[in-house]
Amino acid sequence: AWLVGEAGKEGVESSLGETFGLAYAGDSIVAILAGQLASIAASSRGPTGPFEMSVGFLILGGLLAATAWKENVAGGGNDSGSKPTIRDAVKVVKSDPKIMLVGAMQSLFEAAMYVFVLNWPPAVSKAVGSYFSKFATDASSAISTPYGTVFSCFMACCLLGSTVFGQLTSSKKVDKDGKSKAVSTENFAVGMLGLATLAMGSATLSIAGKLPKLLSFVSSPGSLLAILVSSLFVFESCVGMYFPTIGTLRSKYFPDSHRSVGMNLF
């Protein structure tokens, strides 16, 4: 909301899509490094190590926001001069079906994303254990799942997704006649949601071990592990596409005067 408001004041709202793409690409790069740091912290301090390390970064982020960000007040849309309430935001959402659709997309995709966040560690751990158990000579030599490395790979996929968004939706993509060749954010969102659905579906089938009969030849533990990991990587790439997509759509359809409150409804 702060970024969109500032872009409106500076008159550069047309560049928001590219800005969101670059921002989430940078976020993914930082997260890749964070995954490696978390692995180091966990190996030296135990499970609480990454959380202890995060305190310093949180303090640094708070100081940067407090010293480098200036206040940004939404303009227009409220005659009384008072701040918009949740009731006002609900009325605005009801008045425009497009806002409701963007909000529904946000809620549903992020619900699936958090299901993914909660379930990928046990799912990957089970698949890794099932495949690598044959290499273990005894219980003490069981293969452990490298969660930090897996997380870094997920963040690399996010980086790929946000980069794809930036490339396909860039306003700089024009043909020789000067006409835009960029994919609209709305059409990009449809493709991204379809791909995410397929990825989550195949991951679910591989976890359950119930692949279609046509794929019965890949029912071995190694094949199921490969399908699971590939599906999760594809879904995480869709997550990388999602954040700049939803940021662009919210900046386009949510009114400035009720953007912050309206976003919180979903």
Side-chain angles (χ1 to χ4, degrees), residues 93 95-104 186 249 252-254:
V93 171
S95 67
D96 189 348
K98 292 181 179 179
I99 298 178
M100 181 67 76
L101 289 173
V102 173
E186 291 82 356
L249 291 175
K252 182 176 181 179
Y253 293 108
F254 279 60

Side-chain angles (χ1 to χ4, degrees), residues 9 73-84 92 255-259:
K9 290 180 180 180
V73 182
N78 200 324
D79 297 334
S80 64
S82 60
K83 295 181 179 180
V92 171
D256 182 56
S257 57
H258 294 78
R259 183 171 291 113

Side-chain angles (χ1 to χ4, degrees), residues 136-144:
T137 56
D138 54 59
S140 62
S141 61
I143 303 297
S144 60

Side-chain angles (χ1 to χ4, degrees), residues 134-155:
K134 60 184 178 183
F135 300 108
T137 56
D138 54 59
S140 62
S141 61
I143 303 297
S144 60
T145 305
Y147 292 111
T149 302
V150 175
F151 177 78
S152 292
C153 290
F154 284 159
M155 294 303 101

